[in-house]
Amino acid sequence: MNVFLLVWSYLKSKPLNTVLNIVLFALGIAVITVLLLFNNQLEEKISSNAKGIDLVVGAKGSPLQLILCNIFHIDFPTGNINLKEAEQISRSRLIKKAVPLALGDSYQSYRIVGTTSEYADLYHLELAQGAWWNKELETTIGATVARELKLNIGSTFQSTHGLAEGGSGHEEQRFVVKGILKQTNSVVDNLILTSVETVWHVHEHAAADSTERNHEAHAQPDSSFVASRLIPTHPAGDSTKEVTSLLIQYRSPMAAIQLPRMINGESKLQAASPAFETARLFSILGVGVEILTGFAYVLIFISALSVFIALYNSLKERRYDLAIMRSMGASKSKLFVNIVLEGVVLTALGSMAGLLLGHGILMALGTAVEEMRKAGLTGFVFYSAEWIILAGSLLLGMICALIPALQAYRTDISRVLASN
Amino acid sequence: MVAVSKLSFAYTPDRSITFPDFTLDKGEHCLLLGESGSGKTTLLHLMGGLLRGYTGSLQVAETELASLSEGALDKFRGKNIGFVFQKNHLISALSVEKNVIMSPYLAGVHIDTHHAHDVLTSLGLGEKIKSSVKEISQGQAQRVAIARAVMNHPDVILADEPTSALDDKNCALVIKLLLDVATRNNATLAVATHDQRLKDKIKNQIIL
Ligand SMILES: Nc1ncnc2c1ncn2[C@@H]1O[C@H](COP(=O)(O)OP(=O)(O)O)[C@@H](O)[C@H]1O
Ligand SMILES: [Mg+2]
């Protein structure tokens, strides 16, 4: 016999009440847990994806779309920008690094990104196997792409025009996998990286089926060759070529003030700050999250009330039990602790069930829903805030049990035992 | 073992109940007789330390109960006193065995499950050890209450109307078991009752 066994016996003697209380509490905690896991992971993903990128420059349109498309690779491009203009921007002394991106194709809904080796530096990418892309149609693919599509070094595939599944295929051009990246837990895991020229090439084929291959000539620079500062293998000042965007790293904090204003005001291009746009996105998402959180708190409040009522009612029936226990030598405080513990055990079980349920829901979603899988959201992560949830639940259980426990403490044993 | 002198108790300031002086030796049995409302329950509760604030002197196990704090009284009760009430008041959430084990558990003494089984068997409840207390008869329940009262080898067993709710057959059985158990434990036994059937069972009688 020990105090937990005693408490458990009482809970077991009212199985329906106990189960109802635990389930109610667990539901509230599960909603909170799902929100916590979802929100935290999303924030982590967003900050890790946008890390080191101060500004994105692209075609005019929605700035949020520009960020979503070029950093998180979820929305569609706002359009393309002229390579020559992009080069002019990148000449600014305020810029430390400018990395071009050329989007437009995908394979099995995984995006093909034409870029330069600077992109790898920007994201601190490392190879797990193979090599970086070098020649045309060579690719280095993200860890998730390799895993989900079962691609290996030397695998070949055909891209589809457009960024969604089921676009028209680019015949003849077969991409080849040269390397596979280490897992980064960022969006890069879902990307197929290749050279900008490859994207151009594939598109020229699609557009005109042109046999003209001047870009290949550029690959072997002659004496008069002046390399583009964005794409070292391409000559500078080519206004016939386009890229989708530039990812920019500032040289100094001053740039944050001057550069966006300069680009947005003086050119046909648009500059958007990932930090600013994601903050805006979160404030939009925040409303929904707040509503759900409020709902969860209501659930938890109701279940706390239910725990209180259950204990309060059962105490009426247990006046004799309590008096008998006192007659066997139990002290007032022992009974007090007993009742408090009953509340705590209820909320502790509810809370643990809720945490498990919350993780379970995210695990299920993480495996069943492709978007969740691609975004790398899982139920297999734990945050220290969950300890706070657990501790808060225990505290709530104590509070719910306080009044019933005080009643138990104050029981007039002689009167109860005399009133047969 | 029990010494009462000039003892009186007042529930309300205007009316107090006065008790006759008496002493009980270790192992002695006695009957506290009196009409309903004469103060039998009050006296037992005073002797068991369930009620405090008497005037006069009340010594149990060589201790003046008024000298004990509330917490000390709880411990004293757990160690020295065994109670049996009219309605047995078993804890319905627990099994027969666990009800009996509650006694040493709550008193904070060593829990001897073997002893619990022995006591239950000696009271003819060997087959009911694991039963829920909801599944046993009233006579059996009263025997469980007796087992519970003697679990900690108390010096004093206090029984308040232990037979009033029972039929003749169970009445005879319960009082016999109570006397047996008290004798075996060399415990002082005080039975408060207005049940006429008990009059010739215990010679030593105190009239309130
Ligand atoms: N809690 C109480 N408050 C006030 N008076 C009480 C209380 N309990 C008992 N009494 C009174 O004390 C007297 C003795 O009661 P009790 O000891 O229960 O008698 P008995 O057990 O012999 O029937 C009765 O007159 C009763 O009304
Ligand atoms: Mg009485």
Side-chain angles (χ1 to χ4, degrees), chain A residues 1 3 10 326 332 414, chain B residues 45 70 74 77 91 98 105:
Chain A
M1 183 58 63
V3 66
Y10 272 111
R326 290 291 308 281
K332 283 181 164 186
S414 169
Chain B
H45 284 191
E70 194 169 17
D74 287 331
R77 190 163 54 233
I91 295 169
K98 290 280 188 302
Y105 164 64

Side-chain angles (χ1 to χ4, degrees), chain A residues 418 420, chain B residues 36-37 39-42 86 160-161 192:
Chain A
N420 265 313
Chain B
S36 181
K40 303 182 295 295
T41 299
T42 306
Q86 174 177 352
D160 192 1
E161 313 273 9

Side-chain angles (χ1 to χ4, degrees), chain A residues 412 414-415 418, chain B residues 11-12 15 17 34-43 160-161 208:
Chain A
D412 182 345
S414 169
R415 187 191 284 264
Chain B
Y11 282 107
T12 50
R15 243 188 93 234
I17 310 166
E35 291 304 303
S36 181
S38 59
K40 303 182 295 295
T41 299
T42 306
L43 180 56
D160 192 1
E161 313 273 9
L208 298 192

Side-chain angles (χ1 to χ4, degrees), chain A residues 34-46 49 144 183 185-186 190 359 361-381 383:
Chain A
V34 168
L35 289 176
L36 173 87
L37 294 179
F38 196 83
N39 236 14
N40 276 12
Q41 290 189 65
L42 209 59
E43 253 169 82
E44 279 170 14
K45 295 285 165 195
I46 285 177
N49 285 336
T144 308
Q183 180 99 20
N185 291 325
S186 72
N190 301 319
H359 280 276
I361 288 172
L362 271 195
M363 283 174 198
L365 285 178
T367 43
V369 181
E370 197 187 347
E371 277 72 24
M372 295 265 302
R373 200 164 57 232
K374 271 194 182 177
L377 299 178
T378 76
F380 293 97
V381 281
Y383 292 98

Side-chain angles (χ1 to χ4, degrees), chain B residues 86-108:
Chain B
Q86 174 177 352
K87 291 235 195 82
N88 31 74
H89 298 321
L90 299 180
I91 295 169
S92 59
L94 301 175
S95 68
V96 167
E97 177 192 32
K98 290 280 188 302
N99 261 279
V100 172
I101 283 177
M102 280 300 274
S103 192
Y105 164 64
L106 291 174

